[in-house]
Amino acid sequence: MGKNRDLIQILALVIIGMFIPFLGSITITYGLDLTNVNNLLKIGSTFGYFLLIFAIELVIVFLYFTITNKIAGKKMDKHKPK
């Protein structure tokens, strides 16, 4: 259970680390006021979409490596001397 907790803490730290520069760049680029609740909702939803697209990309990369690893393993098994 400790390993999962550490992983969750690291992922939370990475997400926070991604959000801070994202928040700054969105604020500077579009001149959003951080004290306005509507602007905070826009920033939050934009970051949510960013995380969703990033997660889809990570799943595709994970599937690619998993599939190519299985194919390579089968090819290696064919060439192993018995």
Side-chain angles (χ1 to χ4, degrees), residues 13-59:
L13 185 63
V14 167
I15 289 173
I16 291 169
M18 288 169 51
F19 183 72
I20 293 169
F22 180 82
L23 178 67
S25 64
I26 291 290
T27 303
I28 292 169
T29 302
Y30 297 109
L32 297 176
D33 182 16
L34 294 179
T35 59
N36 188 347
V37 175
N38 287 332
N39 288 340
L40 288 176
L41 291 174
K42 288 178 187 177
I43 292 169
S45 65
T46 304
F47 189 66
Y49 287 131
F50 168 75
L51 287 179
L52 180 67
I53 293 167
F54 188 67
I56 291 169
E57 179 186 358
L58 285 177
V59 167

Side-chain angles (χ1 to χ4, degrees), residues 25 55 76 78:
S25 64
M76 291 297 290
K78 286 182 183 178

